[in-house]
Amino acid sequence: MIKSCSALKLKLNELNMLEAKYKLGYLKLAIFALMFLLCASFNNLLFAQTVIDTIRLGHESGNPIGPVALSVNDSTEKIYIANKDSGDITVFDGSTNKVINHIDVDDIPVALEANSTTNKIYVAGNLSHTITVIDGSTDKVVKTINEGLGSPLAIGINDVANKIYVVNSNNDILSVIDGATDEIIDEIVVKDLPIGIGVNTVTNKIYISYASSDALSIIDGATNEIIGSVIAGNNPEAIAVSSVNNKIYVVNSRSNNVSVIDGSTDEVISSVSVGIAPFDLAVNQSTNKIYVANVAENSVTVIDGDTDRAIATISVGDTPDGVDVNPVTNTVYVINLDDNDISVIDGSSDEVTATISFGHFPVGIGVNETTDKIYVADVLIDNVNVINAVTNETVATVNDGIGTQGIGINEDSNRIYATNSESDNVTVIDGASDTVIKTITVGNFPEGVDVNPITNLIYVANNGDDNVSVIDGATNEIKETINVGSRPDGVAINSDANMIYVSNTAGNDVSVINGSDNQVVATISVNESPFAIALNPRTNKIYTVNELAGNVTVIDGNIEALLGTIEVGDTPIGIGINPLTNRIYVANSQDDTVSVIDGSDDAVINTVDVNDHPVAIDVNTSNNRIYVTGMMSGDIVVLQDDAPFAEDEEPVVDEEEPVVEGDEEPIDDEDEEPVAQNARMDVSPAAASKSLKRQEAVVTLTGADGLPMAGVIVNASATNGTVVAPNAVITDANGVAVFKFKFRFNSIDGFIKFYTIDNEMSAMLRQE
């Protein structure tokens, strides 16, 4: 599970501040030559790693998402945002103000409109010369109209007549689409450089604005003929129609005003001064208010439609270039281009009530194999995205603290722990409901986190305090605090040995903690700037990725000593391990690759191109899939590794076949004495869990006389696994001993032996 990196995981506008604060040079991007093994083995060539899916969380953070248009579907309370730079549509739930979907469309979406009657959304692709049709019930693309169009720039809808009008800027054509068939049924030749459109459903008239003229064309929707024109202000652009009083409102970007046209006479009856460079506007048909977005003033002007006077000015985000209204909820939505967010305005008070960011910056990830869920920490919008690993779809978003970075998971208790670096706390999430159950205050700037499911203790690296907070998972309270090295970042735990490893980025070393007393027992020097750290339970090796050194340090967990260094890609930051295949995966943030390491000889066997700025990795061992977060691309790449299970050493077994429960040889009373201490043994459960990670075995012993046994020491061992609790003393009247055992990851079935001082019995456990 992977942990964090201090600088590259922060919001872009806070990076310089952090570096100045700590003066550690976290942001130096040293360039190292990529080295890889030229002579790959046959298996390495045969069993490759393949990108099988990309899970979009949002936008390309490095290049702004570019929200340029939005439309509200008031029948479903969904808001659709056209993002020109990321080439997709963001879908919000207006009732919760949460992102619920992202829809990829062709090329550059520059405009979109929702038809609330048919529940369809129409998206204009300017460079691809297409109109994409989305089914609002499923938010899936159902059709792409790509014939007979120029460069679509604006869309207007008459939901009464079920017609869609598309302004094509390059060929001076207004395309008319039948909403029932989504086919083009007519083309209307207009003037040069059309840019805006407004539809009056009351009079069935269409109004077109031009970049080349201050006059609007008026089209009869019944005949599709131009029937007149009207002079507006200087450089008219967006147009909106009020069905309440049959007025048409036109923003004039150069004269900083709005022209008001009487829909009955098609004459200008008023002019309303607004902010600087008005760009878009929308009418609230319920309140008869008009909202005008002023891009150069970062404000919205509110006009009273009854008096046509400005009654309020609302400050919003940077470069507001789109606005729409939900008249049912009386809510106004304004997209802020340079902030990549939305200002939500309460129409009753005309005040901003919320700001919704729809940028994504995934920096931490954890896989819960038991529930088949993936948890992704998003530092930009301060939440945890929950992904269904079967469908690769986001199923929940959990809001937590500020600056969410690290993810730790206890599969036994189904608890998820998310570190929040800016609010100095840890959010505890119930994996059953994916809701927050507690927030725990820890040290300064918590980053990495890992869980020991056996002791139910959670270890959190506090980067700003040079210590580790230990949380008791049973009480969700701080148990103690352990001083470690300088700027701790990553945490990895060997739960069987109860050893904790903490990478210290400024100290260039690893602190080794004995979990039995939570004391630092060793400090191991590694290479420059070790960020993430991970442990391979198969080999008991610890791997630290050293960002500035461009390599990975390998530590022997048995003797706590260095084994070697592996050269990987440029600026490695994240690491994940699949003990099943004995593969290690390293995210190289600056060359957008993942290095694949064979754990048998710790050599790089492959380099896989992934997403933009990969920073965190985790592995689902049940299906051999690797999940890589792209910090700058705002997505998750899913790799499928076809490598087979790694070979284990042959288990040492007795010469005689182990006795399976129910197959015991009867005791011949004439040849040997009956065993008084252990005449019968029952083992439960008979089958291990699906993941074979950890399971409790309950052993019931019955004496030869049929009475329960007490005070007998029972031991256990596994031929192909590790028994967590090696022995137990039966002290209760029912003669029950409880063992926790853990199979090796490639076990399908195997034997666990339970024995007392005088007798031995075996139980076979098979994977479900």
Side-chain angles (χ1 to χ4, degrees):
M1 300 184 188
I2 282 322
K3 317 299 176 227
S4 53
C5 65
S6 61
L8 292 175
K9 294 180 170 179
L10 302 175
K11 301 177 183 178
L12 288 175
N13 61 358
E14 295 174 354
L15 291 176
N16 291 332
M17 179 180 68
L18 177 65
E19 186 177 23
K21 176 181 177 182
Y22 294 133
K23 300 187 183 301
L24 297 175
Y26 285 170
L27 302 182
K28 295 178 182 178
L29 300 178
I31 300 177
F32 294 89
L34 176 63
M35 300 179 64
F36 57 90
L37 195 63
L38 294 177
C39 299
S41 66
F42 175 76
N43 281 344
N44 297 333
L45 293 174
L46 181 61
F47 303 108
Q49 298 77 35
T50 307
V51 176
I52 60 171
D53 202 356
T54 299
I55 307 170
R56 293 192 62 84
L57 295 177
H59 70 289
E60 299 178 14
S61 299
N63 299 309
I65 192 170
V68 292
L70 84 163
S71 183
V72 176
N73 188 338
D74 51 35
S75 65
T76 61
E77 269 199 84
K78 290 182 181 178
I79 300 97
Y80 295 83
I81 317 293
N83 307 309
K84 67 179 179 63
D85 290 338
S86 55
D88 66 358
I89 306 299
T90 301
V91 187
F92 281 92
D93 182 340
S95 62
T96 62
N97 287 341
K98 302 298 182 185
V99 175
I100 58 175
N101 211 341
H102 293 278
I103 308 169
D104 289 319
V105 293
D106 288 336
D107 201 43
I108 299 177
V110 296
L112 79 170
E113 287 292 334
N115 188 335
S116 298
T117 303
T118 63
N119 197 15
K120 291 181 182 178
I121 299 88
Y122 296 84
V123 183
N126 188 259
L127 295 184
S128 59
H129 310 296
T130 60
I131 293 292
T132 301
V133 186
I134 298 170
D135 182 347
S137 62
T138 62
D139 288 333
K140 302 292 185 183
V141 175
V142 293
K143 188 170 185 177
T144 300
I145 306 171
N146 52 19
E147 294 183 2
L149 294 169
S151 294
L153 188 63
I155 300 174
I157 295 179
N158 187 333
D159 53 5
V160 176
N162 197 13
K163 290 183 180 179
I164 298 89
Y165 299 89
V166 181
V167 173
N168 299 290
S169 60
N170 69 332
N171 61 2
D172 307 331
I173 293 291
L174 180 68
S175 300
V176 185
I177 298 173
D178 182 348
T181 62
D182 291 326
E183 300 286 346
I184 296 176
I185 57 174
D186 204 353
E187 293 181 344
I188 306 169
V189 178
V190 293
K191 296 195 297 185
D192 291 342
L193 301 177
I195 56 173
I197 185 171
V199 178
N200 190 337
T201 58
V202 176
T203 62
N204 197 15
K205 292 179 183 177
I206 300 95
Y207 298 83
I208 306 294
S209 63
Y210 302 91
S212 59
S213 172
D214 293 338
L216 307 182
S217 292
I218 305 169
I219 299 172
D220 184 343
T223 63
N224 290 336
E225 299 288 339
I226 296 176
I227 58 175
S229 63
V230 57
I231 302 295
N234 191 354
N235 197 25
E237 295 193 7
I239 305 170
V241 177
S242 172
S243 59
V244 177
N245 51 21
N246 194 20
K247 291 179 182 177
I248 297 90
Y249 294 87
V250 184
V251 294
N252 306 300
S253 61
R254 292 180 184 171
S255 54
N256 299 327
N257 58 17
V258 172
S259 297
V260 186
I261 299 172
D262 185 335
S264 301
T265 63
D266 290 327
E267 294 180 353
V268 175
I269 57 175
S270 182
S271 179
V272 185
S273 294
V274 291
I276 301 173
F279 189 78
D280 196 18
L281 80 170
V283 177
N284 188 334
Q285 308 292 348
S286 297
T287 62
N288 200 21
K289 289 181 181 179
I290 298 88
Y291 295 85
V292 183
N294 307 303
V295 294
E297 199 177 79
N298 299 335
S299 68
V300 170
T301 300
V302 186
I303 299 173
D304 184 342
D306 294 329
T307 63
D308 290 330
R309 291 183 179 180
I311 58 174
T313 300
I314 308 168
S315 295
V316 290
D318 195 354
T319 317
D321 65 345
V323 59
D324 205 358
V325 176
N326 187 336
V328 177
T329 61
N330 195 14
T331 307
V332 184
Y333 300 91
V334 182
I335 53 175
N336 305 303
L337 175 64
D338 290 341
D339 280 345
N340 285 333
D341 60 22
I342 291 180
S343 297
V344 183
I345 299 172
D346 182 348
S348 60
S349 63
D350 288 331
E351 294 180 351
V352 175
T353 58
T355 300
I356 308 168
S357 173
F358 49 92
H360 287 260
F361 224 39
V363 295
I365 191 167
V367 176
N368 189 332
E369 295 183 18
T370 303
T371 62
D372 260 343
K373 290 181 181 178
I374 304 154
Y375 294 83
V376 182
D378 197 319
V379 72
L380 185 63
I381 55 178
D382 305 323
N383 67 18
V384 175
N385 294 284
V386 186
I387 298 170
N388 184 320
V390 178
T391 63
N392 285 342
E393 294 181 352
T394 301
V395 294
T397 301
V398 185
N399 293 320
D400 48 3
I402 304 173
T404 310
Q405 295 214 35
I407 297 289
I409 298 177
N410 187 337
E411 294 192 11
D412 289 357
S413 63
N414 199 13
R415 294 286 186 266
I416 297 86
Y417 301 87
T419 61
N420 306 303
S421 60
E422 295 177 49
S423 54
D424 299 335
N425 53 31
V426 171
T427 300
V428 185
I429 300 170
D430 180 359
S433 61
D434 290 325
T435 57
V436 176
I437 57 177
K438 189 166 185 179
T439 300
I440 306 168
T441 300
V442 290
N444 183 24
F445 216 84
E447 293 200 329
V449 57
D450 203 359
V451 179
N452 188 335
I454 298 175
T455 62
N456 199 14
L457 295 180
I458 300 90
Y459 292 80
V460 180
N462 301 308
N463 186 270
D465 283 342
D466 299 341
N467 60 28
V468 171
S469 296
V470 184
I471 299 172
D472 186 339
T475 63
N476 286 327
E477 301 289 342
I478 298 292
K479 179 182 175 69
E480 58 187 300
T481 302
I482 308 167
N483 292 324
V484 290
S486 181
R487 304 302 181 205
D489 189 275
V491 181
I493 297 177
N494 184 333
S495 57
D496 292 343
N498 200 12
M499 301 296 287
I500 299 90
Y501 301 86
V502 181
S503 60
N504 305 304
T505 56
N508 299 330
D509 54 29
V510 171
S511 297
V512 184
I513 301 170
N514 188 328
S516 62
D517 57 7
N518 285 328
Q519 297 294 314
V520 175
V521 295
T523 301
I524 305 170
S525 295
V526 292
N527 281 306
E528 190 175 6
S529 192
F531 271 135
I533 186 169
L535 179 136
N536 188 341
R538 171 187 288 278
T539 61
N540 197 19
K541 292 180 183 177
I542 299 93
Y543 297 82
T544 68
V545 291
N546 310 305
E547 181 206 16
L548 298 185
N551 56 29
V552 174
T553 298
V554 187
I555 299 171
D556 186 335
N558 297 309
I559 59 176
E560 314 298 359
L562 294 180
L563 290 177
T565 301
I566 309 168
E567 297 296 327
V568 288
D570 190 357
T571 318
I573 288 180
I575 184 169
I577 294 178
N578 189 344
L580 198 75
T581 60
N582 201 14
R583 293 280 173 88
I584 298 91
Y585 304 89
V586 179
N588 305 305
S589 62
Q590 290 303 304
D591 59 15
D592 304 336
T593 63
V594 167
S595 297
V596 184
I597 299 170
D598 185 341
S600 62
D601 57 7
D602 290 328
V604 175
I605 57 174
N606 199 9
T607 301
V608 186
D609 291 328
V610 288
N611 37 11
D612 191 356
H613 212 94
V615 295
I617 298 182
D618 205 3
V619 180
N620 189 336
T621 61
S622 63
N623 56 19
N624 207 7
R625 289 184 178 176
I626 302 93
Y627 298 87
V628 186
T629 66
M631 186 173 71
M632 306 300 280
S633 53
D635 56 18
I636 310 293
V637 161
V638 186
L639 299 174
Q640 180 70 60
D641 196 331
D642 295 329
F645 292 166
E647 293 293 331
D648 275 329
E649 296 179 0
E650 289 295 325
V652 178
V653 296
D654 296 335
E655 293 182 0
E656 296 180 359
E657 289 293 324
V659 182
V660 180
E661 180 186 3
D663 291 341
E664 301 91 345
E665 290 292 332
I667 298 174
D668 189 348
D669 292 338
E670 295 180 358
D671 296 335
E672 58 180 289
E673 294 292 325
V675 179
Q677 282 190 306
N678 190 12
R680 188 166 64 249
M681 177 183 293
D682 297 322
V683 181
S684 174
S689 65
K690 178 181 178 181
S691 66
L692 284 177
K693 277 197 163 183
R694 187 166 289 104
Q695 184 66 262
E696 284 192 354
V698 180
V699 181
T700 303
L701 296 169
T702 305
D705 53 3
L707 297 176
M709 299 177 64
V712 176
I713 296 178
V714 181
N715 292 279
S717 66
T719 60
N720 58 350
T722 301
V723 179
V724 175
N727 57 66
V729 179
I730 299 178
T731 57
D732 66 346
N734 295 321
V736 176
V738 178
F739 292 92
K740 287 186 177 181
F741 60 86
K742 181 178 180 181
F743 275 119
R744 290 179 181 172
F745 288 87
N746 65 337
S747 299
I748 300 302
D749 54 59
F751 290 96
I752 285 190
K753 293 183 179 180
F754 302 93
Y755 52 94
T756 66
I757 191 171
D758 292 323
N759 193 23
E760 175 183 303
M761 301 192 68
S762 299
M764 184 175 184
L765 296 117
R766 180 174 293 275
Q767 183 179 9
E768 291 177 339

